[in-house]
Every structure is written in C-alpha cells, then in structure tokens.
Amino acid sequence: MGKPVFLVLVLVVLGYAAAAWRVAQFGNERSDEPADAAVVLGAAAWGDQPSPVYRERLNEALILYQTGRVRWIIFTGGTPKPGYLTEAEVGRKFALAHGIPAKAILLDTESRSTWQNLTNAKKLVAAAKLDTVLLVSDPLHMRRAMRMATDIGLHAKPAPTTSSRFQSWRYWSNFLWRETSLYLAYIVFKKLT
C-alpha cells in the first residue's frame, strides 16, 4: 500500500470517527423551550403494540404533552405490510390509553422513512396552522433527523428520549455505526432514508 493510499484511508477513518462523535454528542442536546407540537418519528410496531424502542418515544411525547410543553402530538409512520396497524395508529392507540385526548393528536400513516416522517409532519403542521415542533426520537437518531428537518424548513428543536432501549455497548455501538453511516449518506449523497 502506497503512502497516498494510506493517508486517504487514515483521513476517511478520522472523518468517520469525527462524524460519529458529532452524532453521539448531538444526542445530548435537548431544547427546554415549549412548542406547538411533538413530532414522534416512527419506529417498529409489533402488531398493535409499540416495540420497546417506539414505546420510549411515545412515553417521551406523553411527558411533553402532560407537562404542557406541547399542545399537539403528531405520530408518524406507516406499515411494512398491508393489514397491519401503522406505526402512527399504534402511537395514537397508546396515547389514548394514557389519557391524551383524541383532539390533540394528528397522524401521518403513510411515511416509511425519517425523511418521509418529517415531510409529512410538515404538511400536518401547516394544515393545523402550527409553527414550532419538538422532534422526539432516540438520541443517536437526532442529528440526522434535525438536519433533515432544517433542510425542509420545519421549525424543530430536539427532544431526544431520556431513556433508550440501546443500553448495552453492543446495541449502542451498532446503532451509532448505523446512524453515522446514514447521516453521512444524507450529507454527502442526499440519500433520503
């Protein structure tokens, strides 16, 4: 391996490590400001129940509503297979069971990616004449989600979950690797995932 190739490899590794550091650090940023709505980014639903990851996001949104930080909750997310409840419908069912009034809930049942979650949420925000939102997702997902929200003109602030299902080093590092790769793919290639 020649010296120029080695230097390029070192730069790529250092660049990736720097991006991973930014992704991890950004997950600690949290807005304390109120907003019109919480936008809960979709995650897997298991039948009519939220997956453990999605449940953490739902709990965070409920806290934001119950403490008066938001007046609306927007649930996003479609379904991978016809005949199953969408992620948004599972979120709505969970919220209703925990005392959130139906009139405070908006749904996007079509989106299948973070980009679609955000663009569809922006349409709901505009239709309801809302302005500001708090994005609710896992801490490691926040950097990419916030960048996308900024790029589409959604007035968003971060509201990462205060707890995460990604507790073990193995799961956390796998999620960090995935999110760093997706963040870089979005920044460099504008890949809309």
Side-chain angles (χ1 to χ4, degrees), residues 31 38 49 126 143:
S31 174
Q49 297 296 314
R143 183 69 195 111

Side-chain angles (χ1 to χ4, degrees), residues 1 12 14 25 44 50-51 66 70-71 101 113 124 146 178 189:
M1 180 182 328
V12 167
L14 290 175
Q25 286 304 107
S51 65
Q66 292 163 344
V70 298
R71 294 177 292 120
S113 67
L124 291 170
M146 283 297 300
R178 177 183 181 275
F189 303 111

Side-chain angles (χ1 to χ4, degrees), residues 24-133:
Q25 286 304 107
F26 192 87
N28 296 323
E29 293 187 24
R30 175 178 206 75
S31 174
D32 291 328
E33 297 175 27
D36 295 322
V39 173
V40 182
L41 299 180
W46 297 344
D48 66 347
Q49 297 296 314
S51 65
V53 170
Y54 194 31
R55 189 173 53 246
E56 297 300 322
R57 296 179 190 187
L58 298 175
N59 285 329
E60 192 69 32
L62 268 57
I63 291 168
L64 293 172
Y65 183 87
Q66 292 163 344
T67 59
R69 298 232 355 252
V70 298
R71 294 177 292 120
W72 294 84
I73 301 177
I74 300 172
F75 295 109
T76 66
T79 182
K81 295 181 181 178
Y84 287 88
L85 287 177
T86 65
E87 294 166 2
E89 290 167 328
V90 170
R92 179 182 188 277
K93 180 182 170 210
F94 185 90
L96 292 172
H98 288 85
I100 305 298
K103 65 182 180 179
I105 297 173
L106 298 173
L107 297 181
D108 151 44
T109 59
E110 301 297 320
S111 60
R112 303 275 303 136
S113 67
T114 299
W115 178 260
Q116 291 173 355
N117 288 168
L118 293 166
T119 55
N120 291 352
K122 184 180 179 188
K123 293 173 190 171
L124 291 170
V125 165
K129 296 184 174 30
L130 306 176
D131 184 35
T132 58
V133 300

Side-chain angles (χ1 to χ4, degrees), residues 23-24 27 138-144 166 172-173 175-176 179:
V23 166
D138 298 272
L140 293 178
H141 187 212
M142 291 307 300
R143 183 69 195 111
R144 180 167 59 101
F166 300 103
W172 184 87
S173 61
F175 193 40
L176 177 61
E179 275 304 316

